[in-house]
Amino acid sequence: RLYLFGGGGARSPPSRTPPPAVVAVTKLTFCRIATPRALELVDPEVYEGVAFDAVASDRRAALAMSEIARDRGFEQHVVLRDALSAPPLETQLLAAELADRGTRAVVVDCGSDEDDALEELVDLLCEVDVEGLPMRRRLGMRGSALSATVSVATRLGITQLDYEMSL
């Protein structure tokens, strides 16, 4: 079992029980997948959720992946790869349907774009009324430059960031 410690510090008195900030982690968080077949191979005893890419232009495929993930009990983290190039209403519809299927994070892949189109898309996506968490709380952003992505996300009120590191 792996424990993550928070707070307390060196001055905390010794104790036989872990402090309340200690969390037992028995599963890995997310497994990035690319195909429905790969999703079928992910062990729900090992991973809490799955992350996958989707495109608004292939809504059927994205919803099929989401359906399989939901049926297997996984949380979902979906990156909308063509969010800024697809018709905005198609992107809005896909984001709403994913959210209604329980997707925890709907991430807009904005590449290096930081213009008004992103702000308009975020506003459009946040107009959607979905079950559970509001879209604003599910909405995330992925950009090619971390500092620019953080800056834009902060300005737009987006709290979830997805950043791919290349090693």
Side-chain angles (χ1 to χ4, degrees), residues 9-90:
R11 296 183 184 178
S12 297
S15 171
R16 292 179 185 249
T17 59
V22 174
V23 178
V25 177
T26 57
K27 290 185 177 183
L28 298 172
T29 308
F30 282 85
C31 177
R32 183 163 286 284
I33 55 156
T35 66
R37 176 69 182 130
L39 177 54
E40 292 171 10
L41 298 174
V42 177
D43 186 352
E45 297 297 318
V46 177
Y47 292 96
E48 290 179 6
V50 292
F52 61 92
D53 295 347
V55 291
S57 58
D58 193 359
R59 203 172 110 245
R60 213 159 105 203
L63 295 177
M65 289 276 279
S66 177
E67 196 73 29
I68 294 168
R70 183 180 70 178
D71 290 349
R72 297 206 55 223
F74 288 117
E75 289 190 18
Q76 302 168 55
H77 180 107
V78 181
V79 177
L80 300 177
R81 285 284 183 191
D82 65 343
L84 290 174
S85 60
L89 292 178
E90 283 184 26

Side-chain angles (χ1 to χ4, degrees), residues 57-164:
S57 58
D58 193 359
R59 203 172 110 245
R60 213 159 105 203
L63 295 177
M65 289 276 279
S66 177
E67 196 73 29
I68 294 168
R70 183 180 70 178
D71 290 349
R72 297 206 55 223
F74 288 117
E75 289 190 18
Q76 302 168 55
H77 180 107
V78 181
V79 177
L80 300 177
R81 285 284 183 191
D82 65 343
L84 290 174
S85 60
L89 292 178
E90 283 184 26
T91 303
Q92 183 190 45
L93 177 61
L94 177 58
E97 289 178 318
L98 288 168
D100 281 340
R101 283 173 168 72
T103 299
R104 174 175 150 183
V106 177
V107 178
V108 174
D109 187 352
C110 60
S112 59
D113 291 334
E114 300 174 29
D115 58 2
D116 293 335
L118 177 60
E119 189 168 352
E120 289 173 15
L121 180 63
V122 168
D123 288 341
L124 185 67
L125 292 176
C126 290
E127 289 175 4
V128 175
D129 185 28
V130 295
E131 292 184 33
L133 283 176
M135 184 60 85
R136 171 126 353 241
R137 300 247 333 258
R138 296 173 199 255
L139 197 57
M141 194 171 129
R142 173 188 280 178
S144 58
L146 181 60
S147 61
T149 302
V150 170
S151 173
V152 173
T154 302
R155 182 173 55 83
L156 297 177
I158 295 174
T159 57
Q160 297 193 53
L161 296 175
D162 184 10
Y163 182 69
E164 279 189 11

